[in-house]
Amino acid sequence: MPSEPMSADPMPAEPAETSARPLTRIQKRNIEAILDAALEVFSAQGFRGATLDQIATAAGLSKPNLLYYFPSKEAIHLELLSSLLDDWLAPLREMRAEGEPRDEIMRYMRRKLEMSRAMPRESRLFANEILQGAPRMGGTLAVELKVLVDEKAAIIRGWSAAGKIAPVDPHHLIFSIWALTQHYADFDVQVRAVLGPGHDPYTEAERFLDTLFDRLLRP
Amino acid sequence: MPSEPMSADPMPAEPAETSARPLTRIQKRNIEAILDAALEVFSAQGFRGATLDQIATAAGLSKPNLLYYFPSKEAIHLELLSSLLDDWLAPLREMRAEGEPRDEIMRYMRRKLEMSRAMPRESRLFANEILQGAPRMGGTLAVELKVLVDEKAAIIRGWSAAGKIAPVDPHHLIFSIWALTQHYADFDVQVRAVLGPGHDPYTEAERFLDTLFDRLLRP
DNA sequence: CCTGATGCTGACCGTTCGGTCAAACGACCC
DNA sequence: GGGTCGTTTGACCGAACGGTCAGCATCAGG
């Protein structure tokens, strides 16, 4: 216990990103296991549907031990949401005004579809949160997300005006990419139930969405 | 109590559809109030997130009184889901092979969008159910829904083959209509947060989706 | 106005849940 | 081997939840 007075910060739990002390090997392992287990459970059951016991069991820990690393159920959920938002928005951030317009949009769509395929749990976690009115993300949505989307919408509008792509409402174009790609993760059971066995939804979806956006954007 | 021996069927609660006795005025009023309140609460909080007290309060009843009309929380939820499925599928059922292909598909899309606008709670109720793996609807999806979609997909495939519309994967065309229209109900807060004030999402969506499906389907 | 069925309620019950705590355990360093 | 700090646990707590029950209120029909 070097240098610090013992009066302030008695917190033993969760030496998170703001703390100075580096993470123990055990801390790293357990925190990672907890977050992975929590993602599994929260995405499948929603926030209120998930229980600490479920998460603890899935992480291979006891409930009090889990609460040694995180102060509350809410804290785990929040940590998941905030750390995921960056990954989730990264593909859109990479859309460059200098690129070839159709390529840029198609690449964005494909990357989003690939994320739905590779990270369905994350997609469902967000879907659950938004569905219930985004009680823990409302602010972020209205600021950070809006700024990013407005910026990219302006780029798309420029491409439309320059005749590089067919005229489209840029905001709703982005919404359509979200809706169409996330649908395959969020409604996975429905898609598979309707298609029946012997289908690979994502392979078919990629072909379909390629066609769809090609016909939509071709000038 | 005519004709029936008192030994069997002591059930006082919920004289539902299978019962012979017609519904009292009070029964009709209260059951309707309960289902409406339950739709409100379940769609906003999910099944486990909703509490009987919330539903009872929203319906203007006490909790025991609510349980006088329905035997359990589960029963209310099930009643909502099953009675909603028909309404939800009705627009697709109305798609006729004899109609003008583009009109039929565009009308279906517009009706689904209108349902999202007029019945967002119902849309979110379904979304919640599917998101969590459809534990209470899995069977129905794999049978009733699959049969209906396969039937309509065959019609669409015929239209494609006849050159009436551009070639498309019919199943994924239907998925895309679901995804694009339900997105505006299920992700309402996100759409509004990104668009900001002064926008009517549904009016803009109708214009955008008209354009999208016109370009996608035009032979 | 009487009566039986329907409608309604306060009090209560068992369980589950999120969270706490004191005590024990264990690894590592002197 | 003893001390220390990080780690783990069993036992426990209060609140919330789904559901029950005995009894009271109310209503409709005769």
Side-chain angles (χ1 to χ4, degrees):
Chain A
M1 186 193 301
S3 73
E4 284 213 356
M6 60 182 303
S7 65
D9 202 20
M11 153 192 80
E14 210 223 345
E17 51 266 282
T18 54
S19 169
R21 202 127 62 270
L23 293 180
T24 311
R25 215 176 39 246
I26 298 180
Q27 283 173 344
K28 219 179 293 189
R29 192 222 322 149
N30 283 348
I31 288 179
E32 195 178 343
I34 290 170
L35 288 177
D36 187 73
L39 175 59
E40 186 74 29
V41 177
F42 280 137
S43 67
Q45 321 260 16
F47 179 74
R48 288 213 47 184
T51 74
L52 287 180
D53 281 295
Q54 282 178 298
I55 299 174
T57 301
L61 302 174
S62 66
K63 186 170 64 169
N65 198 12
L66 188 157
L67 286 163
Y68 170 74
Y69 290 100
F70 287 90
S72 71
K73 182 184 177 183
E74 180 95 26
I76 305 177
H77 192 247
L78 222 70
E79 172 67 25
L80 276 180
L81 279 183
S82 57
S83 76
L84 241 43
L85 190 62
D86 283 340
D87 295 334
W88 212 241
L89 263 38
L92 185 53
R93 285 218 169 83
E94 289 178 13
M95 203 167 83
R96 312 274 307 152
E98 302 81 32
E100 215 290 306
R102 295 247 301 283
D103 279 355
E104 291 291 322
I105 296 173
M106 295 298 268
R107 168 155 42 235
Y108 174 53
M109 180 274 287
R110 288 201 197 97
R111 284 206 55 186
K112 281 292 282 178
L113 184 62
E114 174 57 22
M115 285 184 74
S116 280
R117 198 189 61 81
M119 306 166 68
R121 301 181 304 176
E122 285 84 345
S123 185
R124 285 188 207 111
L125 185 77
F126 273 111
N128 260 307
E129 175 70 9
I130 306 290
L131 247 185
Q132 324 223 329
R136 295 164 249 271
M137 290 192 69
T140 309
L141 290 187
V143 179
E144 191 179 343
L145 181 61
K146 180 174 172 23
V147 166
L148 175 64
V149 172
D150 282 346
E151 176 193 327
K152 300 305 182 182
I155 295 177
I156 295 173
R157 190 174 293 109
W159 289 338
S160 271
K164 307 273 197 169
I165 59 173
V168 279
D169 182 313
H171 283 96
H172 290 266
L173 173 62
I174 292 174
F175 292 158
S176 72
I177 293 174
W178 292 349
L180 288 166
T181 56
Q182 291 173 11
H183 185 80
Y184 288 94
D186 301 343
F187 290 73
D188 184 71
V189 282
Q190 181 177 264
V191 167
R192 291 181 193 276
V194 168
L195 287 181
H199 287 261
D200 176 17
Y202 287 99
T203 305
E204 300 178 9
E206 190 178 351
R207 288 184 51 89
F208 175 80
L209 294 181
D210 267 9
T211 304
L212 188 153
F213 284 104
D214 182 73
R215 291 183 189 162
L216 174 62
L217 298 175
R218 190 177 293 264
Chain B
M1 187 193 299
S3 72
E4 284 214 353
M6 61 183 302
S7 64
D9 203 21
M11 152 190 79
E14 210 222 346
E17 51 264 282
T18 53
S19 168
R21 204 128 61 269
L23 293 178
T24 311
R25 217 178 36 248
I26 299 180
Q27 284 173 343
K28 219 177 294 188
R29 193 223 320 146
N30 283 349
I31 289 179
E32 195 178 343
I34 291 170
L35 288 177
D36 187 73
L39 176 59
E40 186 75 29
V41 177
F42 279 137
S43 67
Q45 321 259 15
F47 179 74
R48 289 211 48 183
T51 72
L52 288 179
D53 281 295
Q54 282 178 298
I55 298 173
T57 301
L61 302 175
S62 67
K63 187 171 63 170
N65 197 14
L66 187 155
L67 287 163
Y68 171 73
Y69 290 100
F70 286 89
S72 70
K73 183 184 177 183
E74 180 95 27
I76 305 176
H77 192 248
L78 221 69
E79 172 67 25
L80 277 179
L81 280 182
S82 57
S83 76
L84 241 43
L85 190 61
D86 283 339
D87 295 334
W88 212 241
L89 263 36
L92 185 54
R93 286 219 169 80
E94 288 179 14
M95 203 166 83
R96 311 276 305 152
E98 302 80 33
E100 215 289 305
R102 295 246 300 283
D103 279 356
E104 291 291 322
I105 297 174
M106 295 298 267
R107 168 153 45 234
Y108 174 53
M109 181 272 288
R110 288 200 197 96
R111 283 205 57 187
K112 280 292 284 178
L113 183 63
E114 173 58 20
M115 286 184 72
S116 280
R117 197 190 62 79
M119 307 166 67
R121 299 180 306 175
E122 286 83 347
S123 184
R124 284 187 209 112
L125 185 76
F126 273 111
N128 260 306
E129 175 68 8
I130 306 290
L131 247 186
Q132 325 223 328
R136 296 165 247 272
M137 290 192 71
T140 310
L141 290 186
V143 180
E144 190 180 343
L145 180 61
K146 178 171 174 24
V147 167
L148 176 64
V149 171
D150 282 345
E151 177 192 326
K152 301 305 183 183
I155 295 177
I156 295 174
R157 190 174 295 111
W159 289 338
S160 272
K164 307 274 197 171
I165 59 173
V168 279
D169 183 313
H171 284 96
H172 291 268
L173 172 62
I174 292 174
F175 293 158
S176 74
I177 293 174
W178 292 349
L180 288 165
T181 56
Q182 290 173 11
H183 185 81
Y184 288 94
D186 301 344
F187 291 74
D188 184 73
V189 284
Q190 180 177 264
V191 167
R192 291 183 192 275
V194 168
L195 287 181
H199 287 261
D200 176 15
Y202 287 99
T203 305
E204 300 177 8
E206 191 179 350
R207 287 184 51 89
F208 175 80
L209 294 183
D210 268 10
T211 304
L212 187 153
F213 283 104
D214 181 73
R215 292 183 189 161
L216 173 63
L217 298 176
R218 190 177 293 265

